[in-house]
Amino acid sequence: MNSNQPLVSVVIPCYNHEKFVKDSIKSVIAQTYENIELIVIDDGSSDNSVSKIKEIIEICGQRFVRFEFRHRTNRGLSDTLNEALEWSRGEYFSALASDDQIFSNKTSLQVNYLEVHRNYSAVFGGVQLIDENNKKLEQVVSKARSYNFDDIIMHKHSLLAPTQMIRMNSIRKTGGYNPNVFIEDWYMWLLLSKEADVYNMNEVVAFYRKHDSNISKDFRKMNSGRLEVLSFFPDSSLYNEAVNNIKWHNTYQELMYLNNNKLLNMVKLVVLDPMKTSRNLIRKVFERYL
């Protein structure tokens, strides 16, 4: 192991991902960066996730400078991430969902960037979407740029959770993850950006798994979750504008992807922001017919 490299704490919280968790761990094993500690916590899975993780424990013990694994009753994602934070000893923190994977050069690439660019609290990148059978779908990658708190609270950001690499001292200053927040990552990006700007690389560094799901149920959770996050930042000068923006965004998502209340949602969009509504609907028409 290269002891001159900063230690990176990679954390994998697992919940009912028996089909994917070994591939997630293997992607960390395959990192070209050497000085990694891996912390895996199974959050009360009811499937065979624990057995799958145990199959790879010996390899993990040999590969990483430190490897920790525990399983217990379910406590939720934020509590699990906070538990892992308590264990972590690295200079950098990277959480990875147990159904996602990272490219072999991700850790090296992002640590090198943060070592040079000390003014950022975290760095992100693009993803290759995959389905449940690892079939590659489209790539999602945004231009290289920094984001500040105002960008993120106004939802003008592209920060994808599987691509994160965060300075440990920055994430500790936030106080950790909030177990009362459904969209824990957006909440964390807002806290981090209060400490310092975050940066998005225009390189694909992770596989992000896209599942078939109940779209209606997911949308409603996400819609209420966005407003929930904003409720923790009422002192921001952009608070009222941000709430209005999220209400517009939530309504637009329902209009585009759900089949109910289309006329009512259209009226709501126009009332909330007539100019933005016109621009987006015109763009959709051009995309469909040109």
Side-chain angles (χ1 to χ4, degrees):
M1 295 294 176
N2 188 345
S3 59
N4 294 322
Q5 293 176 328
L7 178 63
V8 175
S9 301
V10 178
V11 169
I12 300 180
C14 178
Y15 180 70
N16 286 349
H17 279 157
E18 63 177 353
K19 184 178 177 181
F20 310 118
V21 65
K22 282 181 68 175
D23 285 340
S24 180
I25 294 172
K26 285 179 179 178
S27 75
V28 185
I29 291 172
Q31 292 299 290
T32 57
Y33 193 88
E34 294 182 356
N35 201 19
I36 296 174
E37 65 172 8
L38 177 63
I39 298 170
V40 180
I41 302 177
D42 183 83
D43 187 30
S45 292
S46 58
D47 63 3
N48 292 316
S49 291
V50 171
S51 297
K52 293 296 181 180
I53 296 167
K54 286 181 176 179
E55 290 174 7
I56 205 168
I57 281 179
E58 184 177 352
I59 298 173
C60 290
Q62 296 169 356
R63 163 61 177 90
F64 301 110
V65 297
R66 176 173 170 244
F67 173 68
E68 301 284 354
F69 169 58
R70 72 167 56 173
H71 55 96
R72 45 152 176 76
T73 56
N74 181 264
R75 286 166 44 186
L77 178 56
S78 290
D79 277 338
T80 302
L81 289 170
N82 286 333
E83 182 180 341
L85 265 173
E86 292 176 4
W87 281 17
S88 297
R89 301 172 184 171
E91 292 183 43
Y92 295 101
F93 178 87
S94 179
L96 178 66
S98 53
D99 56 342
D100 297 329
Q101 302 166 40
I102 51 177
F103 286 18
S104 62
N105 67 335
K106 175 189 182 291
T107 307
S108 178
L109 185 70
Q110 293 185 320
V111 169
N112 288 342
Y113 188 88
L114 288 173
E115 285 289 287
V116 173
H117 301 86
R118 297 281 179 173
N119 53 318
Y120 294 119
S121 59
V123 64
F124 299 80
V127 297
Q128 170 70 63
L129 294 178
I130 54 175
D131 66 12
E132 295 196 6
N133 298 309
N134 291 324
K135 179 183 177 181
K136 292 181 180 179
L137 307 173
E138 69 268 26
Q139 288 189 347
V140 179
V141 56
S142 300
K143 68 179 181 179
R145 59 158 293 181
S146 62
Y147 294 101
N148 59 29
F149 177 85
D150 288 355
D151 296 322
I152 298 172
I153 198 170
M154 290 303 298
H155 221 249
K156 297 178 180 178
H157 66 279
S158 178
L159 301 172
L160 302 170
T163 73
Q164 64 183 279
M165 177 73 68
I166 305 170
R167 293 190 193 279
M168 188 67 77
N169 61 354
S170 295
I171 196 169
R172 291 200 189 283
K173 285 179 182 178
T174 69
Y177 293 86
N178 188 336
N180 299 313
V181 170
F182 177 67
I183 308 178
E184 83 293 330
D185 51 1
W186 187 31
Y187 177 81
M188 177 55 69
W189 309 158
L190 283 164
L191 294 180
L192 287 170
S193 64
K194 280 191 166 187
E195 169 73 16
D197 289 358
V198 301
Y199 189 79
N200 185 73
M201 312 176 84
N202 64 344
E203 298 190 46
V204 177
V205 296
F207 291 104
Y208 198 179
R209 196 173 302 278
K210 189 175 182 180
H211 296 275
D212 291 331
S213 60
N214 185 324
I215 292 177
S216 175
K217 183 178 179 181
D218 285 350
F219 269 119
R220 291 193 176 98
K221 281 185 177 180
M222 292 299 291
N223 286 354
S224 61
R226 293 186 189 101
L227 292 171
E228 177 185 61
V229 168
L230 290 179
S231 70
F232 288 91
F233 301 92
D235 295 334
S236 167
S237 61
L238 292 171
Y239 175 73
N240 290 330
E241 187 178 352
V243 169
N244 190 70
N245 179 62
I246 286 300
K247 286 181 178 179
W248 187 94
H249 178 83
N250 288 348
T251 305
Y252 184 77
Q253 292 287 306
E254 289 195 17
L255 178 65
M256 290 296 105
Y257 299 105
L258 303 182
N259 292 318
N260 57 329
N261 300 323
K262 287 190 176 292
L263 180 58
L264 177 60
N265 285 331
M266 179 66 77
V267 172
K268 286 181 180 179
L269 288 174
V270 173
V271 171
L272 286 167
D273 194 325
M275 291 299 295
K276 186 190 291 188
T277 303
S278 298
R279 287 196 304 270
N280 278 270
L281 293 179
I282 290 170
R283 178 172 55 82
K284 284 292 181 182
V285 170
F286 272 84
E287 288 175 355
R288 181 172 181 178
Y289 294 106
L290 295 182

